[in-house]
Amino acid sequence: MSTIFSKIVAGEIPAYKVAEDENFLAFLDINPLAKGHTLVIPKKETDNIFDIEDNEYQQLFLFAKKVANAIKKTVPCEKIGIAVVGLEVAHAHIHLVPINSIYDIDFSKPKLSLSANEFALISERISSKL
Ligand code: 5GP
């Protein structure tokens, strides 16, 4: 099985990458709840985040912490909200969402539609704050 996120890892489909190392990747959500909405994934494909082996799980959250702090420096917001859902893509991922109110992390609300230029600019700006 190869998820859409594994295809991003393999470079088979494009993504606006924010951060990457040997084991983890962060990229902008294509249907964001807010500007800067980022997904953090382990490159190794596992569906349920709580099935990830302890050391990799800890490293994933440490990687997400660095990315969240870079998003906070880039996007004006009160907090970076964190969520794990995984109902759409069966490849463990952490949502990092800039929020000013609880409504900003309501996954049932309409998503933003951003241009390619906006996505590129946001991902570059976050990357530069890492
Ligand atoms: P979940 O599995 O947590 O319910 O939602 C999956 C998330 O991945 C959604 O927020 C959706 O917008 C995002 N997503 C789905 N397919 C792609 C894709 O091909 N590229 C990117 N960048 N994000 C995607």
Side-chain angles (χ1 to χ4, degrees), residues 61 64 80-84 94-97 99 105 107:
F61 275 81
I80 303 300
I82 183 167
V84 174
I94 297 170
H95 293 262
L96 300 174
V97 186
I99 55 171
I105 199 162
F107 281 82

Side-chain angles (χ1 to χ4, degrees), residues 40-58:
V40 182
I41 67 166
K43 291 187 173 179
K44 195 170 103 190
E45 198 176 303
T46 302
D47 177 359
N48 184 349
I49 197 164
F50 301 119
D51 287 336
I52 294 173
E53 173 272 319
D54 286 357
N55 183 53
E56 188 187 357
Y57 180 87
Q58 287 175 332

Side-chain angles (χ1 to χ4, degrees), residues 1-104:
M1 186 181 76
S2 187
T3 65
I4 193 127
F5 291 171
S6 287
K7 291 188 169 69
I8 288 174
V9 169
E12 292 167 14
I13 64 166
Y16 296 94
K17 292 184 183 179
V18 165
E20 181 166 20
D21 71 9
E22 197 188 334
N23 299 313
F24 306 103
L25 176 65
F27 53 94
L28 296 181
D29 194 300
I30 205 69
N31 290 306
L33 284 169
K35 283 187 183 182
H37 181 170
T38 297
L39 303 174
V40 182
I41 67 166
K43 291 187 173 179
K44 195 170 103 190
E45 198 176 303
T46 302
D47 177 359
N48 184 349
I49 197 164
F50 301 119
D51 287 336
I52 294 173
E53 173 272 319
D54 286 357
N55 183 53
E56 188 187 357
Y57 180 87
Q58 287 175 332
Q59 296 306 317
L60 172 66
F61 275 81
L62 285 173
F63 188 85
K65 176 180 171 179
K66 285 184 211 152
V67 176
N69 287 333
I71 299 170
K72 184 74 173 66
K73 286 181 194 156
T74 309
V75 181
C77 61
E78 182 79 24
K79 289 274 167 64
I80 303 300
I82 183 167
V84 174
V85 185
L87 292 172
E88 184 187 326
V89 179
H91 185 142
H93 52 280
I94 297 170
H95 293 262
L96 300 174
V97 186
I99 55 171
N100 294 298
S101 82
I102 193 70
Y103 179 68
D104 295 333

